[in-house]
Structures are given as C-alpha cells and as structure tokens.
Amino acid sequence: ELKVEQNPLFLSMQEGKNYTIYCNYSTTSDRLYWYRQDPGKSLESLFVLLSNGAVKQEGRLMASLDTKARLSTLHITAAVHDLSATYFCAAEKLVFGKGTKLTVNP
Amino acid sequence: DAGITQSPRHKVTETGTPVTLRCHQTENHRYMYWYRQDPGHGLRLIHYSYGVKDTDKGEVSDGYSVSRSKTEDFLLTLESATSSQTSVYFCAISEFGLESPLHFGNGTRLTVT
C-alpha cells in the first residue's frame, strides 16, 4: 500500500528566507505531483515530476524527484507572503500527503 | 477551474438520508475522481472513473457509490449519510491518466447532522 508522508506539516517562516518541504513515499513511484491550496479554495497543480532526477522551477518554487530515495522536495527561495498556502504532494496521482501549511510572515 | 462544476456547493443533511453530489466537466476528459478532504488527513480517494461505466474503488470507498453514464458527469452517492461523512468533497479530472495532473472542482461542503 502506497503511503505518502510530508514534513513538516506546519511551517512558519519569515519573508526572504529559504526552506524545503519534504515528501517521502513508501513504494516505487515514478510520478510525483505538487499542488497548492489557498484557504477555503480548491487545489491548483504546481508541478508534475515524471522521472528520476526531474527538476522543475516556477518563480520562487523548485521541485525535484529522487525515485531511488523515494523522495521529492519543494524548495522555497526568498519566501514572500503570497506563498502562504497549504502544499500537497501526491504519488501516482491518487495518494496524497497530509499537506504542509506554510505561513510566511513579514 | 478547467471547466469543472460541482453541485451543490453546500449541503446540510440528516443522518440516514441519501445524498448525491454531482460533478460536471466540459473538458471531455476520460478520467474523473472523487476525493474527500478532512483536517489532519489531507485528501483521500473515494472512487474514480476511467471511462463511461468504468469505475473503481479508492482508499475510503465504504458507504459511497458512484455512477458515470456520460463522459461529462460523475455522481457520488452516500447511500445513508453518517456524521463521519461530514467533509469537503472534491471532484477532479485528468486528461491522460497518470501522466497528467489533476484539475479540481471548487468542492462541496457536506454536513451530516
């Protein structure tokens, strides 16, 4: 049974700082997805990582995938308040982590 | 929202009553999914469909059934609602199965009293 674990579950950081969110999964998976959810809203697709070593970047966010370590990371560079949201990873599309609630403080 | 409409957006119902949630898409995507979102649990898959009349169970399918008689509509039915089914329900679609991301509807907030 595929399990997906994210950490941390809560992250409070200051603007301008860097941080990484980790997503571990329990069985072989070649596909990893990252989503963003604003409070009270739906989920929005951020990144689709389809192979080992895949790296994708959009603005201050960069996602990577290491299928051998069963690990994906979402790196935040020089955080800004607009990045405050909950971030989910999902393996094989169907199994989601519990989410990381990110709060960026001025 | 990628042409996905969920209805109703909010519903309050009593324990033991049947409830049907509707997901309608205008994208002609083959794959459709129902998830529930609960605090501390993230999103959990209830059922999914890979074509008309083709459906399968997800992680938390007990107490739920689905139907897909047309490409554009995917219905989720709670046969006899219980308080544990109070949740936010999201419908999602995807074009190419596992190679493409999910696009989510706006959700239905269901309260079972």
Side-chain angles (χ1 to χ4, degrees), chain B residues 16-34:
Chain B
T17 60
V19 177
T20 296
L21 309 183
R22 181 183 185 233
C23 178
H24 178 78
Q25 59 144 330
T26 58
E27 305 296 320
N28 200 36
H29 286 353
R30 177 180 175 187
Y31 300 88
M32 299 186 75
Y33 309 80
W34 277 108

Side-chain angles (χ1 to χ4, degrees), chain A residues 1 3 9 31 33 35 37 40-48 50 86 88 90-99, chain B residues 1 9 33 35 37 40-45 48 59 90 94-107 109:
Chain A
E1 180 186 351
K3 293 187 184 298
L9 297 182
R31 304 170 186 86
Y33 310 82
Y35 296 87
Q37 184 180 36
K41 302 293 186 182
S42 186
L43 284 84
E44 170 191 0
S45 175
L46 289 175
F47 300 109
V48 179
L50 295 177
T86 299
F88 293 93
E92 295 296 330
K93 180 175 293 179
L94 304 180
V95 183
F96 280 73
K98 293 183 178 181
Chain B
D1 295 327
R9 292 295 313 279
Y33 309 80
Y35 284 88
Q37 184 175 29
H41 289 278
L43 278 86
R44 292 179 291 174
L45 181 67
Y48 63 101
E59 177 188 359
F90 284 100
S94 70
E95 187 172 10
F96 298 120
L98 294 179
E99 279 68 46
S100 56
L102 296 173
H103 299 284
F104 286 85
N106 286 328
R109 183 174 294 276

Side-chain angles (χ1 to χ4, degrees), chain A residues 33-75:
Chain A
Y33 310 82
W34 285 96
Y35 296 87
R36 168 182 172 144
Q37 184 180 36
D38 292 309
K41 302 293 186 182
S42 186
L43 284 84
E44 170 191 0
S45 175
L46 289 175
F47 300 109
V48 179
L49 304 168
L50 295 177
S51 62
N52 185 44
V55 177
K56 291 200 173 177
Q57 183 163 5
E58 178 76 29
R60 301 175 187 275
L61 300 178
M62 183 175 72
S64 65
L65 177 62
D66 182 344
T67 59
K68 294 177 182 177
R70 299 177 184 169
L71 171 67
S72 179
T73 60
L74 181 66
H75 187 72

Side-chain angles (χ1 to χ4, degrees), chain A residues 5-51:
Chain A
E5 290 189 358
Q6 287 182 238
N7 68 84
L9 297 182
F10 299 91
L11 175 56
S12 180
M13 56 190 299
Q14 285 191 312
E15 281 190 329
K17 299 293 186 182
N18 304 331
Y19 209 83
T20 300
I21 299 171
Y22 297 89
C23 176
N24 292 273
Y25 51 95
S26 60
T27 63
T28 301
S29 175
D30 292 330
R31 304 170 186 86
L32 199 290
Y33 310 82
W34 285 96
Y35 296 87
R36 168 182 172 144
Q37 184 180 36
D38 292 309
K41 302 293 186 182
S42 186
L43 284 84
E44 170 191 0
S45 175
L46 289 175
F47 300 109
V48 179
L49 304 168
L50 295 177
S51 62

Side-chain angles (χ1 to χ4, degrees), chain B residues 52-82:
Chain B
V52 174
K53 297 192 189 312
D54 290 325
T55 65
D56 207 348
K57 296 179 179 180
E59 177 188 359
V60 290
S61 60
D62 287 348
Y64 302 94
S65 62
V66 290
S67 66
R68 192 165 178 205
S69 58
K70 299 185 291 185
T71 298
E72 56 266 36
D73 290 325
F74 193 31
L75 304 180
L76 176 70
T77 297
L78 289 65
E79 304 290 348
S80 177
T82 67

